[in-house]
Amino acid sequence: MDTAARVPVALGSRSYEIVVGSGLLKHVGDLCGDLLPGRRVMIVTNPAVNRLYGTTVSNSLRRAGFQVATTEIPAGERAKSLRHAAGLYRAFLDNRMDRRSVVVALGGGVIGDLAGYAAATFLRGVPLVQIPTTLLAQVDSSVGGKVAVNLPEGKNLVGAFYQPSLVVADVRTLQSLPPRQMRGGLAEVVKYGMIADRELFTYVETYLDAILRAEEESLTYLVTRSCAIKAQVVEEDEREEGMRAILNFGHTVGHALETGAGYRKLLHGEAIAVGMVVATKLSVDRGLCEQRDLDRLRTLLIRIGLPVETSLDMKRLMRTIGYDKKVRNRMIYVVLTKGIGHVTLAEISDLGELRAAVRTTRST
Ligand code: NAD
Ligand code: GLY
């Protein structure tokens, strides 16, 4: 193994490690080692990722004594559906998987969420290993146990909290990632900077060129630091009964933009970028945050190549926010910032306030 950092996620009997480094895929079998109860493994992936990395992962698992099968689902957010979850159950049954068999999610957040949901529910739960191959999945979706599928009414409306047994984040896989996906993942890294770590925010500002060139040292730092922040939040509030909600900074408007855009036009990270600008503008309007921090955020997002504006119809956006899980008792629960590196949870009862902040991101 070239280099590897280990980030622990301490959750009692559900504890696990996130291993971060370059060149890890060929060591997946050893990393799984005796950690897993059974020897039968189903790799869930998509055709593009399978072509790039499937053989390396399955060979490594076979060398370590696992019996390996692979099933592919189509690429894209639309695959995160109950229909494709049912397809996975069928594949698990066809491969005679039992409760000790292991699901390995090899791919981005779509694969991780869908395969994770299937692992959480098949036979009331089988072990799950996450091998995230997008920046977004490495810094966010593979860690913390949220697994889900979408309904036509909204994203992630059916799901579970189901922790993996291991996460292996090989930053070398990011070298093949399309630039737009890399930029989308960086939105989540910026989010960690905004909510918890001014230094991380400054690091992205300073080393953006190296990061966009997928330099392994910079990426290992970004992924390790982001995972450590997420692990700490999840350790304190695994089931989002309180402070885990800070991870949703930018997500109230972000999710609505994704859903309102029919899951097609905007990547998750792109939607979150606009959402973070709205949340920070709300924070400035409430006197919680300095205008110069909003300016810094906008400047960094623009340099990364992320959108900071939306053209979605305001009525449609507001209607979609109404379906979001963060709306309870006609109150919208949002995460605001008290300046880069600090967050606070807040409520909005006056939709006019939200409309005014959204208006500042209108592109028309
Ligand atoms: P994705 O899974 O759709 O992957 C993006 C694209 O990149 C896909 O076409 C994939 O085939 C391709 N790809 C993946 N790895 C590659 C590689 N190494 N080289 C080349 N191509 C590669 O998108 P995503 O951004 O990873 O994930 C988005 C999903 O994650 C959304 O569904 C979102 O809701 C979910 N999410 C979940 C959580 C959570 O906590 N569970 C958090 C954030 C986001
Ligand atoms: N991505 C938000 C969470 O995991 O809670």
PDB file of all heavy atoms in Angstrom, residues 135 152 160:
ATOM      1  N   LEU A 135     -15.405  11.953  -5.671  1.00  0.00           N
ATOM      2  CA  LEU A 135     -14.988  12.773  -4.527  1.00  0.00           C
ATOM      3  C   LEU A 135     -16.159  12.940  -3.564  1.00  0.00           C
ATOM      4  O   LEU A 135     -16.001  12.840  -2.346  1.00  0.00           O
ATOM      5  CB  LEU A 135     -14.469  14.139  -5.018  1.00  0.00           C
ATOM      6  CG  LEU A 135     -13.973  15.076  -3.911  1.00  0.00           C
ATOM      7  CD1 LEU A 135     -12.859  14.444  -3.083  1.00  0.00           C
ATOM      8  CD2 LEU A 135     -13.505  16.405  -4.508  1.00  0.00           C
ATOM      9  N   PRO A 152     -40.632   9.525  -6.789  1.00  0.00           N
ATOM     10  CA  PRO A 152     -40.856  10.631  -7.736  1.00  0.00           C
ATOM     11  C   PRO A 152     -41.091  11.959  -7.022  1.00  0.00           C
ATOM     12  O   PRO A 152     -40.782  13.028  -7.550  1.00  0.00           O
ATOM     13  CB  PRO A 152     -42.122  10.204  -8.495  1.00  0.00           C
ATOM     14  CG  PRO A 152     -42.182   8.725  -8.331  1.00  0.00           C
ATOM     15  CD  PRO A 152     -41.545   8.396  -7.008  1.00  0.00           C
ATOM     16  N   ALA A 160     -32.616   4.288   5.274  1.00  0.00           N
ATOM     17  CA  ALA A 160     -32.299   3.761   6.614  1.00  0.00           C
ATOM     18  C   ALA A 160     -30.979   4.369   7.071  1.00  0.00           C
ATOM     19  O   ALA A 160     -30.236   4.952   6.269  1.00  0.00           O
ATOM     20  CB  ALA A 160     -32.169   2.243   6.545  1.00  0.00           C
TER      21      ALA A 160
END
